[in-house]
Amino acid sequence: MRDTGGEGGGGDKIGKSEKDQSWIPKIIKKRVCTTFVEDSFSNGALCQCGGARDAHASVALGDYFSTAIVNHWDTAQHSSEYPTDAFGELQFAGASKRHSYFLRLSWDTPPSMVYTLMTAHWGLSAPNLVVSVVGGEGRTKVKTWVREVLRQGLVKASQSTGAWILTAGLREGVGRCVGEAVRDHATAASSVSLNKVVALGIAPWGLVHNRQQLINPQGSFPAKYYVQNTTRDSCCLDNNYQAFLLVDDGSVGRRGGETGFRAKLEDYISHQRTGIWGSGSIDIPVLCMLVSGEANILERMDLSLKNSMPWLVLAGSGGLADFLSDVLENLSSAPVVQSSEVDGEAGPGVDLKDRVAERFKKYFPSEAESDKLIERALSIYHNRDFITIYHGEQEGPNDFDTVLLKALVGASKHRASVDASPHNEELKLAVTWNRVDIAKSELFNGDIHWRYEDLEDSMTDALVNNKPQFVRLFTENGLNILDYLTYGRLETLYRSVPEGTLLFQLLQRRLVERLGTAAAIPTSTNVSESPSKVGAENVQSGPVAEISLFEVSGVLELLMGDVCQPFYYNALGLEQITSKRRALRRASKLLRGDCLYREKRCLFPWASLFVWAVLQNRSEMATFFWEMSGETVLSALSGCKMLRELSKLEGETETKLSMKELAQRFENLAHDVFSSCYRSDESRSFTLLIRKSPVWGGTTCLQMGMGADARLFFSHDGVQSLLSQIWWGDMKRNTEVWKLILTFFCPLLCYTNLISFRKQEDQQLEEEGKPNEDGLGRDNDSLYGTTIFSFSDIKHIEADAQGSHSPRSATIKGIPQPRRPPKRPFIVSRWRQFWFAPVTSFLGNVLMYFLFLLLFAYVLLVDFKPPPPSGPAITEYVLYFWVFTIVCEEIRETFFLGTMTWRQRLRVYIQDVWNKCDITAITLFIIGLICRMFKWSYEFGRDVLCVDYMVFTLRLIHIFAIHKQLGPKIIIVGKMVKDVFFFLFFLGVWLMAYGVANQALLYSYDPRPDRIFRRVFYRPYLHIFGQIPVEEMDVGKRWDMPCTDNVTLIDEGEEPCRVTYSNWLVVILLVVYLLVTNILLINLLIAMFSHTFSQVQTNSDIYWKFQRYNLIVQYHSRPSLAPPFIILSHINLFIKRNIRKVPSVKIHHFVLQLKGKAANRLMTWETIQKEDFLTAQSKIQKNRDSERLKRMSVKVDSMLKHLTESRDFDHRLRALENEMEYCSNALSWIVDTLAQGSTFKPSRPPPTLRDAFPSSSST
């Protein structure tokens, strides 16, 4: 298989090829002559099969009776089948490294078997077109213009359509020209289109030179094939062909043995479907192209025409092509044709037959069996509707692809039913070949009215086979996507996903989960380990047909995580189910029934197609669907999220990089479109960021951007402006910090003018739509819903949706509200404005956290009492209560915030690094607290609490991430910590190497583990910082430490004496160790730090702005009071939620749900901004030099085309002038003759010649 064959390299690949193709001799056969029929012209030396007498087996020579009675050798009667002995890969000596495939097969081998071998085992891509070049064989010289038609016309057109070209595959005649043209185009083409043209050689086995080099009963991988003279024409195989089918009929040195098999193969291919796995809308078009040719081709041509096979005849190429073009063009307008039609099918008209016979003798004067061939020619004439005459010498090769298209369309019109649209086949061919230029110029130029039914199948073909230009063309010309995309068709699109892709594996895993342990379905481990094997099993057992929207929803849930609600649950009727197991059982039960949901229209068709394209990493298709879908910014961020998650699962490096590039492209699009929105209207762009989306599972742009790690998007000034407004609440953003601290300790100052608050009147004016710089007043603003300026506005609008109405947003842009809640007193409102702002909550938490650390330090240093009953002290009990309130807040954040299930909340909580730090600190504190209560573990508990204090102190780093200067530096420090770990690895290796060697050289025996650890690890580590005990290391120095050499005393703990013998080596090792560590490794660490700093410094501001969002969300959702007073807020929340049943407003943080007109107006405004952005991008694209050159090239091509046409007109005018001159001379001669004669007297004299161009004569 192609998948398996592509794995590994070298010998493994060859071994796999041998194993994969070892079955070929069991099925594919060869032909061997088994009856010697003497050739009368060879005096008994040769058989009529062409083989010598010595080459025949004894069985063939021994049948004298058969030899006596047989006069003509026949392959079916006089040859037998044996297992083939020539197959595998072919390497041409002295040519490129690319191997070709070859197979020796019998002439009656089933074509289905051969086609499967070529596509499934040899890896040839299924064709969108097959052009079979007939004629031009042998050593006849090919005309120059025919070479150009083959090179610039046929091969170029085949390259654009993904075609197979069938010839004899030998280095002679037309076959050699086609091979050279394929080689030249493959060299000049890009790597993407390199394998689009497949040149396939079908030649008689007995005609191939050096065929003995190919024989190997076990198969050749590869077979070395030598060609003697590559410059002259010969019957050697051409190295420019990808595959060879060597048809064996038992003959040697004879042509035509492959004709029958080639015709059957063409007919079989013409009944296969195009596209991936035959998913196209039409059968593979097959066209026979006649170049020159001998008279015996008439029989083959007649048989294929009776099977409705279209032919293209190259008029002027010589031989049979000229004869047929003469017959079809010159006899088609003669009146004798009608007489033949009167006769019907009983027999042709006598005059027509005589004319055909006359022309046949003219072109083939030496042909023996002329009567039979003339009958064939007459039969071909009656099937002339399937034949197209091409005058390549006059028309040129430039528009050859259009000629092919029209030839196939002309033939298909006669095969199609009467009710079918006459242009449907032409459209399907254009889609199959991916020629959108032909479709635009010929089919969608305004002359044809296309119905939805005409475009439906072609749309599916374009979607499945990744042809985005046709998808765009169809949607612009009458295809309604709402009618087209049902849930059933969407499932069909997901079932068409290719096997080797990551999406296919993910869908199969979900399918396995739903179907359970069914026998036909492989386990999920097999899916992940061997996708090609699983794909083969799936084709046989058919589970891919079982893929439903439930599997798609599971894949999207895997990629999206907890950012949004599950997709397609509404269609499946699972919207009320939260348990995965219940949803699985319900979906299994539903899919075993009638599945009525498949007939329903898809609610959001463009978004569904966008997801489908993104999951397959189809860049151009996904970009088009993004342009067509609503909620542009959120759609781009969603695509970014899916692609980045897919890239983490993808194993292939190239695909992973393309996914990351496309993800970054969508993030850039989201950033640029939001920039356009922000420049247009700041307040509406804020609403855009926090609007709850019905399309994307109830998420918002901010939540999706955070899930997609869209740092560039979060660094946008508009996003940061919204975050700053939410951070400061109703206070002005230029408020100094010292004023906040002073008001925090003296709350009554909030009623003074110390802190500036935004005025109520200003907010009302802004909300009602003050005229902006663009001159848009309140009337224009009233089209787009409510304007949001602070988070309190958001809370009020959410209250409006529940039935109450905000005093601030009393009108939704001009729509009066019937009632308002009573306005709060100034004392209450100002108090709430100050204390409910996230910045106040943050400031309170910071100040109280510093007090907490001071109390913790005081307890550890001063007031840490012994275990009960002597302790703990009062301050320690206060510390315990403080930590208890911190734990309560962590529990509230984890389990009582948001709308997700508790498992989802716990998973999201643990994903955060600082939450892990909190869990570590709390766990250590609990361990230390328990241990310090008992005498036996008191000291250990105190040690744990000391370490825990360090963890609590490090938590300050996260708190100061909000600071504009400290935040980026914290990010840089975090990146450098990773560098330190790499440094410690190198240092540890060198430190252990030196420490062990140093200890062994200094002390011959020292069993104490503490001393070994200190001297092997700790002492070399201190050497780095200059602490080198020279007296201990150098025996030349005096050391006052008492020591002994007695092993017993050393075992008891005495200090061993140093070894003096190898002390010189100790000094050398010390010098080398200090050189490596202090100079090499330390400078390496500095270089790594410098690289990290320079790399991160440019983007550190973007990283900091991205992380700032998490901190703002955290402190916005927190109560106003900080620990330990936060317990009062917890009690208040408990009473409000559980006793008074007051719903939470902050549970939907940063979410605004718009409905009805407000949502439609906002979406319309966003769509307008997107269109403006795309228009601006299109203008920039058109103004680029490359685009200008393309447009200039198109204009030059059109001018050349017009010049060519004008030359044709010039030739025609000259010919007309010559004929007019001849007619004028003839008439003059007639007039002169009549004037001189006396037969009759005219009544008036002959007319005189008048000047038709007086102006020209006057000049």
Side-chain angles (χ1 to χ4, degrees):
M1 292 283 183
R2 183 166 33 165
D3 292 338
T4 56
E7 298 172 3
D12 293 338
K13 182 177 179 181
I14 294 174
K16 289 184 180 181
S17 299
E18 292 180 13
K19 184 177 179 181
D20 289 344
Q21 300 186 21
S22 60
W23 53 270
I24 290 180
K26 302 174 184 177
I27 302 177
I28 308 296
K29 306 298 180 182
K30 67 176 182 178
R31 282 274 174 179
V32 177
C33 179
T34 55
T35 304
F36 183 83
V37 181
E38 182 178 332
D39 188 358
S40 58
F41 297 100
S42 63
N43 296 324
L46 296 177
C47 175
Q48 289 187 18
C49 70
R53 178 183 290 271
D54 299 338
H56 285 67
S58 58
V59 177
L61 295 174
D63 193 359
Y64 297 107
F65 180 74
S66 298
T67 306
I69 64 174
V70 173
N71 294 323
H72 180 70
W73 185 87
D74 183 68
T75 177
Q77 299 178 10
H78 304 132
S79 64
S80 300
E81 290 186 343
Y82 295 92
T84 184
D85 56 359
F87 63 93
E89 298 176 2
L90 186 63
Q91 182 180 8
F92 290 88
S96 62
K97 296 181 180 180
R98 180 179 60 81
H99 293 178
S100 302
Y101 298 97
F102 74 98
L103 174 67
R104 178 185 182 182
L105 70 161
S106 174
W107 61 270
D108 57 352
T109 304
S112 58
M113 192 183 302
V114 179
Y115 182 75
T116 305
L117 172 70
M118 291 189 294
T119 54
H121 294 270
W122 288 357
L124 303 182
S125 56
N128 291 325
L129 168 69
V130 174
V131 179
S132 180
V133 183
V134 181
E137 299 175 357
R139 302 192 178 185
T140 55
K141 188 174 181 180
V142 182
K143 297 181 179 179
T144 305
W145 69 266
V146 176
R147 290 177 178 269
E148 291 302 315
V149 167
L150 294 174
R151 178 188 298 273
Q152 299 183 15
L154 175 62
V155 177
K156 189 175 180 181
S158 301
Q159 195 173 42
S160 64
T161 56
W164 285 8
I165 302 178
L166 273 57
T167 69
L170 303 177
R171 298 185 63 84
E172 61 175 12
V174 172
R176 180 167 187 166
C177 297
V178 171
E180 292 173 351
V182 170
R183 177 199 63 198
D184 295 342
H185 277 278
T187 304
S190 62
S191 60
V192 177
S193 59
L194 187 61
N195 297 322
K196 281 190 175 181
V197 181
V198 174
L200 179 63
I202 304 178
W205 165 260
L207 192 66
V208 178
H209 284 190
N210 301 332
R211 56 186 176 276
Q212 298 299 324
Q213 301 171 5
L214 308 178
I215 296 178
N216 185 354
Q218 284 75 37
S220 304
F221 303 96
K224 294 287 183 68
Y225 187 74
Y226 296 89
V227 181
Q228 286 83 1
N229 190 352
T230 58
T231 58
R232 298 173 58 183
D233 285 351
S234 63
C235 289
C236 297
L237 299 178
D238 195 323
N239 63 314
N240 297 309
Y241 284 71
Q242 279 87 339
F244 297 94
L245 298 177
L246 307 177
V247 183
D248 191 3
D249 63 346
S251 64
V252 179
R254 291 187 175 186
R255 297 184 184 272
E258 84 288 358
T259 305
F261 172 78
R262 182 170 172 179
K264 288 190 295 182
L265 180 64
E266 293 164 0
D267 183 65
Y268 175 79
I269 294 177
S270 67
H271 291 87
Q272 307 305 306
R273 304 291 279 185
T274 58
I276 302 172
W277 295 350
S279 58
S281 58
I282 62 169
D283 294 336
I284 297 175
V286 178
L287 176 71
C288 295
M289 180 176 170
L290 179 62
V291 180
S292 182
E294 301 296 330
N296 55 5
I297 299 178
L298 283 170
E299 181 179 359
R300 186 248 167 116
M301 189 174 181
D302 182 32
L303 292 175
S304 64
L305 285 173
K306 289 178 179 177
N307 291 327
S308 303
M309 186 75 69
W311 280 74
L312 180 68
V313 177
L314 243 64
S317 59
L320 183 62
D322 289 354
F323 164 70
L324 288 176
S325 61
D326 187 8
V327 169
L328 295 175
E329 288 184 334
N330 295 330
L331 298 185
S332 60
S333 58
V336 292
V337 176
Q338 296 179 357
S339 66
S340 65
E341 291 177 356
V342 173
D343 295 336
E345 295 182 357
V350 179
D351 294 341
L352 176 61
K353 186 174 182 179
D354 293 342
R355 291 190 176 212
V356 171
E358 179 185 350
R359 283 171 169 76
F360 186 84
K361 292 178 180 177
K362 173 184 175 184
Y363 287 96
F364 303 103
S366 60
E367 194 64 39
E369 300 178 355
S370 59
D371 293 337
K372 291 183 179 179
L373 295 176
I374 290 171
E375 292 294 333
R376 294 287 186 182
L378 287 171
S379 177
I380 290 172
Y381 178 81
H382 288 298
N383 290 315
R384 61 186 178 276
D385 293 331
F386 295 99
I387 302 176
T388 302
I389 305 298
Y390 176 64
H391 297 274
E393 190 173 12
Q394 300 176 8
E395 299 179 25
N398 293 327
D399 297 328
F400 195 76
D401 47 2
T402 310
V403 174
L404 293 179
L405 180 65
K406 290 181 177 178
L408 292 168
V409 169
S412 63
K413 284 179 181 178
H414 297 282
R415 290 198 301 260
S417 61
V418 181
D419 298 332
S421 173
H423 303 285
N424 270 355
E425 290 296 323
E426 192 171 357
L427 175 62
K428 290 177 180 179
L429 283 171
V431 173
T432 302
W433 297 357
N434 200 17
R435 294 305 303 272
V436 72
D437 52 341
I438 295 177
K440 285 181 178 179
S441 60
E442 302 289 336
L443 302 174
F444 292 93
N445 51 12
D447 298 336
I448 306 169
H449 176 69
W450 291 98
R451 299 174 300 171
Y452 168 76
E453 294 79 11
D454 299 333
L455 302 177
E456 189 175 4
D457 291 340
S458 297
M459 178 69 167
T460 304
D461 189 1
L463 285 171
V464 171
N465 295 295
N466 193 20
K467 296 168 183 176
Q469 293 179 331
F470 273 100
V471 176
R472 184 187 294 270
L473 186 66
F474 294 152
T475 54
E476 292 173 354
N477 289 274
L479 188 135
N480 187 358
I481 197 68
L482 294 173
D483 295 331
Y484 173 78
L485 194 67
T486 60
Y487 287 117
R489 182 164 274 135
L490 185 61
E491 288 182 351
T492 304
L493 292 177
Y494 277 103
R495 290 169 192 159
S496 68
V497 174
E499 283 186 20
T501 59
L502 174 63
L503 176 59
F504 180 84
Q505 299 176 31
L506 296 176
L507 288 172
Q508 288 298 303
R509 291 179 190 176
R510 296 295 171 178
L511 183 62
V512 168
E513 292 177 6
R514 178 167 65 83
L515 297 181
T517 56
I521 306 300
T523 60
S524 59
T525 9
N526 291 337
V527 173
S528 58
E529 290 177 359
S530 178
S532 60
K533 180 180 178 182
V534 171
E537 294 178 2
N538 288 338
V539 171
Q540 296 172 4
S541 57
V544 76
E546 298 291 335
I547 288 177
S548 65
L549 289 181
F550 185 75
E551 283 73 49
V552 179
S553 175
V555 172
L556 291 175
E557 186 178 359
L558 172 68
L559 299 177
M560 292 294 195
D562 304 318
V563 176
C564 54
Q565 299 299 320
F567 286 78
Y568 305 121
Y569 267 33
N570 289 334
L572 296 169
L574 307 175
E575 63 272 12
Q576 303 298 330
I577 301 176
T578 56
S579 172
K580 284 188 178 180
R581 291 184 179 178
R582 288 179 57 197
L584 187 61
R585 289 196 297 267
R586 180 74 176 273
S588 301
K589 183 178 179 181
L590 172 69
L591 294 171
R592 283 195 296 266
D594 295 334
C595 301
L596 299 177
Y597 72 92
R598 289 174 178 166
E599 303 300 325
K600 297 179 182 178
R601 290 182 177 183
C602 188
L603 282 180
F604 307 104
W606 290 119
S608 298
L609 289 174
F610 172 71
V611 171
W612 174 78
V614 165
L615 291 178
Q616 296 187 81
N617 194 29
R618 293 181 173 181
S619 173
E620 192 176 351
M621 188 87 79
T623 305
F624 170 67
F625 291 144
W626 170 81
E627 294 175 3
M628 300 301 294
S629 62
E631 302 188 5
T632 314
V633 177
L634 182 54
S635 297
L637 292 173
S638 302
C640 176
K641 165 74 173 171
M642 287 185 284
L643 286 164
R644 282 179 176 157
E645 294 298 328
L646 282 171
S647 66
K648 297 175 184 177
L649 302 174
E650 180 61 55
E652 296 184 7
T653 306
E654 187 175 352
T655 309
K656 184 192 290 283
L657 290 176
S658 66
M659 285 179 175
K660 289 182 178 179
E661 290 175 2
L662 186 56
Q664 188 60 47
R665 180 181 176 185
F666 278 123
E667 184 181 350
N668 294 339
L669 286 173
H671 178 274
D672 295 342
V673 174
F674 182 73
S675 297
S676 178
C677 295
Y678 184 67
R679 287 193 300 268
S680 174
D681 193 301
E682 180 179 344
S683 59
R684 289 177 200 146
S685 64
F686 291 166
T687 309
L688 192 68
L689 291 175
I690 57 176
R691 173 200 52 193
K692 187 176 181 181
S693 167
V695 180
W696 295 99
T699 188
T700 66
C701 290
L702 291 179
Q703 293 172 355
M704 188 63 75
M706 177 55 58
D709 198 22
R711 297 167 182 168
L712 178 64
F713 178 75
F714 268 94
S715 67
H716 190 275
D717 292 339
V719 180
Q720 293 300 311
S721 179
L722 173 64
L723 295 179
S724 297
Q725 287 195 10
I726 296 174
W727 178 249
W728 286 95
D730 290 332
M731 291 181 285
K732 291 189 175 179
R733 283 184 281 176
N734 57 359
T735 305
E736 288 83 356
V737 178
W738 66 268
K739 294 181 180 180
L740 292 175
I741 297 175
L742 189 61
T743 309
F744 185 81
F745 287 105
C746 185
L748 294 178
L749 291 177
C750 69
Y751 297 107
T752 65
N753 293 328
L754 181 66
I755 296 179
S756 300
F757 292 87
R758 290 190 298 140
K759 295 181 181 180
Q760 191 84 1
E761 294 79 8
D762 294 343
Q763 295 176 18
Q764 189 70 21
L765 283 173
E766 288 174 343
E767 287 182 2
E768 292 179 357
K770 228 163 100 175
N772 53 21
E773 296 177 1
D774 298 332
L776 297 175
R778 177 176 176 179
D779 293 336
N780 283 338
D781 287 345
S782 65
L783 297 174
Y784 302 106
T786 310
T787 306
I788 306 300
F789 284 93
S790 71
F791 203 80
S792 59
D793 299 334
I794 299 170
K795 292 187 290 185
H796 288 310
I797 289 177
E798 288 186 353
D800 292 344
Q802 297 170 2
S804 60
H805 301 278
S806 167
R808 288 216 186 117
S809 58
T811 60
I812 299 181
K813 290 304 171 188
I815 302 176
Q817 303 295 334
R819 58 189 175 86
R820 293 184 181 184
K823 188 176 181 181
R824 291 191 180 97
F826 172 75
I827 296 176
V828 178
S829 63
R830 180 55 59 89
W831 183 269
R832 292 173 62 88
Q833 283 177 336
F834 176 75
W835 288 104
F836 283 19
V839 65
T840 309
S841 176
F842 171 77
L843 185 63
N845 277 273
V846 170
L847 294 174
M848 297 307 294
Y849 198 79
F850 273 111
L851 291 177
F852 165 74
L853 291 178
L854 289 175
L855 177 64
F856 202 165
Y858 176 79
V859 169
L860 288 176
L861 298 175
V862 178
D863 205 11
F864 200 79
K865 301 293 184 182
S870 302
I874 300 297
T875 53
E876 196 168 347
Y877 279 117
V878 174
L879 180 65
Y880 296 163
F881 177 74
W882 204 317
V883 174
F884 170 73
T885 58
I886 293 176
V887 172
C888 290
E889 176 58 20
E890 294 296 324
I891 293 174
R892 187 196 67 84
E893 285 185 6
T894 307
F895 297 104
F896 299 99
L897 189 65
T899 57
M900 297 180 290
T901 62
W902 68 270
R903 289 183 180 179
Q904 291 174 328
R905 294 168 183 165
L906 187 61
R907 185 165 60 246
V908 171
Y909 179 84
I910 293 177
Q911 285 175 354
D912 188 79
V913 177
W914 294 109
N915 287 336
K916 294 176 183 176
C917 180
D918 291 337
I919 293 174
T920 304
I922 293 169
T923 305
L924 289 175
F925 190 87
I926 294 173
I927 294 172
L929 171 62
I930 294 172
C931 292
R932 67 99 57 226
M933 292 298 176
F934 305 98
K935 289 183 179 180
W936 58 272
S937 59
Y938 170 78
E939 292 297 334
F940 177 75
R942 189 175 186 277
D943 296 343
V944 171
L945 289 175
C946 292
V947 174
D948 188 38
Y949 179 81
M950 292 181 60
V951 179
F952 271 114
T953 307
L954 290 175
R955 190 68 172 78
L956 282 172
I957 295 176
H958 176 55
I959 294 176
F960 287 105
I962 194 68
H963 196 270
K964 192 168 186 178
Q965 278 73 37
L966 288 178
K969 300 301 182 290
I970 291 172
I971 295 168
I972 293 175
V973 170
K975 297 285 185 180
M976 288 182 174
V977 169
K978 297 180 181 179
D979 294 337
V980 169
F981 282 107
F982 290 107
F983 168 76
L984 289 177
F985 170 74
F986 292 112
L987 179 64
V989 171
W990 185 242
L991 189 142
M992 176 175 283
Y994 167 73
V996 172
N998 182 65
Q999 174 69 7
L1001 289 172
L1002 277 175
Y1003 302 99
S1004 60
Y1005 181 71
D1006 188 2
R1008 292 191 60 178
D1010 58 334
R1011 279 203 297 253
I1012 291 176
F1013 179 80
R1014 288 174 180 272
R1015 289 172 177 173
V1016 170
F1017 294 102
Y1018 182 58
R1019 185 171 61 187
Y1021 178 73
L1022 293 179
H1023 289 355
I1024 301 174
F1025 303 100
Q1027 297 186 15
I1028 304 173
V1030 180
E1031 296 82 4
E1032 184 180 358
M1033 307 285 293
D1034 190 358
V1035 295
K1037 301 286 184 179
R1038 184 178 177 183
W1039 193 30
D1040 297 333
M1041 177 69 70
C1043 61
T1044 180
D1045 291 326
N1046 191 336
V1047 176
T1048 305
L1049 295 176
I1050 292 174
D1051 289 335
E1052 293 176 355
E1054 294 292 332
E1055 177 74 22
C1057 291
R1058 298 172 295 174
V1059 177
T1060 59
Y1061 172 73
S1062 55
N1063 190 253
W1064 61 273
L1065 188 56
V1066 173
V1067 176
I1068 293 176
L1069 289 180
L1070 176 63
V1071 172
V1072 174
Y1073 171 73
L1074 293 177
L1075 180 68
V1076 173
T1077 54
N1078 286 21
I1079 296 178
L1080 181 64
L1081 291 181
I1082 296 298
N1083 282 282
L1084 173 65
L1085 180 64
I1086 294 172
M1088 292 168 65
F1089 282 169
S1090 300
H1091 174 71
T1092 302
F1093 183 85
S1094 60
Q1095 193 176 30
V1096 177
Q1097 179 64 25
T1098 53
N1099 299 321
S1100 61
D1101 189 58
I1102 296 176
Y1103 285 112
W1104 167 72
K1105 289 178 178 178
F1106 178 71
Q1107 290 187 346
R1108 179 172 176 247
Y1109 169 76
N1110 283 328
L1111 198 65
I1112 292 176
V1113 170
Q1114 178 184 352
Y1115 282 99
H1116 164 262
S1117 62
R1118 277 197 171 193
S1120 303
L1121 298 177
F1125 306 109
I1126 199 172
I1127 194 68
L1128 301 176
S1129 298
H1130 291 163
I1131 295 171
N1132 179 40
L1133 287 173
F1134 178 79
I1135 294 171
K1136 288 174 66 176
R1137 301 289 176 264
N1138 297 306
I1139 298 176
R1140 296 174 57 196
K1141 302 296 182 182
V1142 178
S1144 172
V1145 175
K1146 287 189 175 182
I1147 194 171
H1148 303 285
H1149 55 254
F1150 292 68
V1151 175
L1152 172 64
Q1153 185 165 5
L1154 295 179
K1155 295 181 179 179
K1157 292 183 179 180
N1160 292 334
R1161 289 166 181 165
L1162 185 66
M1163 189 177 296
T1164 304
W1165 173 74
E1166 183 185 7
T1167 304
I1168 292 172
Q1169 303 307 317
K1170 174 199 68 178
E1171 291 173 355
D1172 293 343
F1173 164 75
L1174 293 176
T1175 303
Q1177 290 295 109
S1178 178
K1179 289 181 180 179
I1180 295 173
Q1181 184 75 17
K1182 287 180 180 179
N1183 290 331
R1184 290 179 180 174
D1185 293 339
S1186 58
E1187 293 297 323
R1188 290 181 178 179
L1189 286 174
K1190 285 182 182 178
R1191 293 198 297 271
M1192 185 66 69
S1193 173
V1194 172
K1195 291 178 180 178
V1196 169
D1197 289 342
S1198 63
M1199 287 297 297
L1200 289 175
K1201 190 175 181 180
H1202 288 306
L1203 285 174
T1204 306
E1205 292 176 356
S1206 65
R1207 287 176 184 173
D1208 294 339
F1209 289 137
D1210 190 28
H1211 289 308
R1212 293 179 183 178
L1213 286 174
R1214 288 181 181 176
L1216 188 59
E1217 287 176 356
N1218 291 334
E1219 292 180 1
M1220 289 295 295
E1221 185 178 359
Y1222 170 76
C1223 292
S1224 177
N1225 293 332
L1227 289 172
S1228 299
W1229 177 80
I1230 292 172
V1231 169
D1232 293 340
T1233 304
L1234 291 175
Q1236 294 175 3
S1238 58
T1239 308
F1240 64 93
K1241 297 293 183 179
S1243 59
R1244 58 186 181 86
T1248 58
L1249 180 64
R1250 292 184 298 174
D1251 192 359
F1253 303 99
S1255 59
S1256 62
S1257 61
S1258 61
T1259 54

